[in-house]
Amino acid sequence: MATGIVLLFNIIRYFYYHQYLALPFYWTFFVLTAIFLSIAWWAGKQFDKVKYLSERDPLTGAYNRRTVEEHFHKAAKISDIKKQSLGVIMLDLNKFKEVNDVFGHQKGDELLMQVTTALDTFVGKHDLVARWGGDEFVVVVDNLNEDTADNYVKELQQAITLKNAENFPNVEASVGYAIYPQHGKSFQKLVQEADAYMYRDKKEH
């Protein structure tokens, strides 16, 4: 966008000085334009980098807590307009501590990155995956309701198990969910409900 603004500025500059005022045209015009464009491109890249780092978890590349909460508020408004529900899923890896203890934290980090990849591949284009902390993830799922949630969760768990079957065969995920607005209207309330559901699932394993 920054380069587009600079380009537009230089087009206006050309017509104003060389067409409207009829000033002589010099080749240095292109040099200045190139310099301006280079600065704008560099500034744009720096802005994109800072924006990415402010929204993402540095290890996995999943979104962070602040971003998922902002996304939920926007998605909830859209769901209200469409008269649809919205799912908030909490996910925790079983036996993650064993992976760290037996294979080391580097392997644990590798597992977290693989789980993120599995989740990103599984979810829809309007859904969002965030690392909540440690080995916990939150997924906001568009148009998820109580009739479809159980099947969705089972398929999600299978996707994670299959993704990690070769390198981490014993790792599975405990998953809980809450539905907006039936189980709560605030993000915090839905996370609490999904978290409680998840720990009930974890005790069963």
Side-chain angles (χ1 to χ4, degrees):
M1 183 175 179
T3 53
I5 293 172
V6 170
L7 193 59
L8 178 61
F9 167 75
N10 278 275
I11 291 172
I12 294 171
R13 183 167 68 98
Y14 168 80
F15 279 100
Y16 179 73
Y17 285 107
H18 306 299
Q19 298 295 323
Y20 181 71
L21 297 180
L23 295 175
F25 183 81
Y26 298 106
W27 65 272
T28 52
F29 175 88
F30 294 111
V31 175
L32 289 172
T33 300
I35 292 172
F36 291 150
L37 285 172
S38 298
I39 293 172
W41 177 83
W42 180 85
K45 292 290 285 184
Q46 296 307 306
F47 175 81
D48 291 341
K49 183 179 180 180
V50 170
K51 186 174 184 293
Y52 179 89
L53 293 174
S54 70
E55 293 178 344
R56 302 275 184 165
D57 169 58
L59 173 64
T60 63
Y63 287 99
N64 58 28
R65 283 191 175 206
R66 181 179 61 83
T67 306
V68 71
E69 186 166 359
E70 290 176 355
H71 172 81
F72 169 81
H73 293 310
K74 294 175 184 176
K77 289 179 181 178
I78 295 172
S79 295
D80 289 341
I81 293 170
K82 293 182 176 180
K83 300 188 184 306
Q84 294 177 344
S85 54
L86 189 66
V88 174
I89 292 177
M90 286 288 294
L91 179 151
D92 179 84
L93 298 180
N94 301 331
K95 301 181 180 178
F96 179 72
K97 186 177 183 299
E98 292 181 19
V99 173
N100 280 332
D101 292 343
V102 176
F103 301 105
H105 288 278
Q106 186 173 348
K107 272 292 182 182
D109 290 347
E110 182 183 328
L111 173 58
L112 292 174
M113 289 186 281
Q114 285 193 15
V115 169
T116 302
T117 300
L119 291 172
D120 284 336
T121 302
F122 179 80
V123 302
K125 64 178 182 179
H126 297 299
D127 305 335
L128 186 138
V129 175
R131 185 182 177 195
W132 195 246
D135 59 328
E136 288 187 333
F137 293 82
V138 169
V139 186
V140 176
V141 185
D142 183 53
N143 198 25
L144 187 71
N145 56 58
E146 291 182 280
D147 294 332
T148 60
D150 286 333
N151 285 335
Y152 184 93
V153 164
K154 288 177 183 177
E155 291 174 4
L156 184 149
Q157 288 173 309
Q158 289 173 359
I160 292 173
T161 301
L162 289 172
K163 177 67 179 178
N164 299 297
E166 183 177 348
N167 296 322
F168 306 99
N170 296 321
V171 173
E172 298 177 345
S174 295
V175 180
Y177 67 84
I179 305 297
Y180 170 88
Q182 290 91 331
H183 299 155
K185 292 191 174 182
S186 74
F187 183 66
Q188 289 77 13
K189 173 64 174 175
L190 292 164
V191 166
Q192 289 174 1
E193 292 291 327
D195 191 56
Y197 189 138
M198 179 188 72
Y199 273 100
R200 288 197 296 272
D201 181 50
K202 200 173 187 71
K203 285 181 181 179
E204 294 175 1
H205 293 82

